[in-house]
Amino acid sequence: MLLYNITTKIDHVAHAKWLQWMQHAYIPHLMDSNTIEDYHLCRLRGVDESDGVTYALLLRFSSRPAFDIYQEKYALDHQKMHDREFKGKYVSFPSLLDVVAHGD
């Protein structure tokens, strides 16, 4: 199992619109790729919010091949979609995590 974490700091002025857009447009579009098992959208706490609010979007993939399909077919389109709506109002970086153990 893999987790793809996209950490995003969104400008305060755009925050409310971005959060609504993430929940009602962007994440449903991601899930339409049928490569992602599930997701968590989390707000980071205990971080400096003077220049924006920070979120982590965790996407769970069942396997490396599923993630590779996502990367090859969908990731660039999703990134462009984000830029069309909020270019200049956020900074973002991805990280890929191998799940070593988890509990229920």
Side-chain angles (χ1 to χ4, degrees):
M1 176 178 16
L2 295 172
L3 289 177
Y4 186 53
N5 173 46
I6 305 167
T7 302
T8 302
K9 181 174 271 196
I10 185 72
D11 180 84
H12 287 290
V13 173
H15 174 241
K17 181 180 175 184
W18 178 87
L19 186 57
Q20 183 176 11
W21 177 80
M22 286 292 286
Q23 294 172 310
H24 299 287
Y26 188 72
I27 292 172
H29 189 66
L30 291 176
M31 297 307 291
D32 284 346
S33 73
N34 293 316
T35 59
I36 301 165
E37 296 292 315
D38 59 27
Y39 71 91
H40 294 278
L41 180 60
C42 309
R43 183 171 176 174
L44 273 66
R45 295 297 185 177
V47 297
D48 179 11
E49 292 191 344
S50 59
D51 58 348
V53 183
T54 304
Y55 285 86
L57 176 59
L58 300 167
L59 306 175
R60 185 170 63 90
F61 293 86
S62 62
S63 65
R64 183 61 193 238
F67 175 75
D68 290 342
I69 290 168
Y70 171 78
Q71 285 293 104
E72 291 169 16
K73 291 188 175 183
Y74 303 103
L76 185 58
D77 177 54
H78 293 157
Q79 183 180 6
K80 287 179 181 179
M81 181 181 178
H82 201 248
D83 280 345
R84 278 192 304 271
E85 294 292 325
F86 296 98
K87 189 169 186 144
K89 295 181 172 70
Y90 76 96
V91 293
S92 184
F93 69 89
S95 52
L96 185 61
L97 302 98
D98 243 335
V99 177
V100 176
H102 80 286
D104 291 330

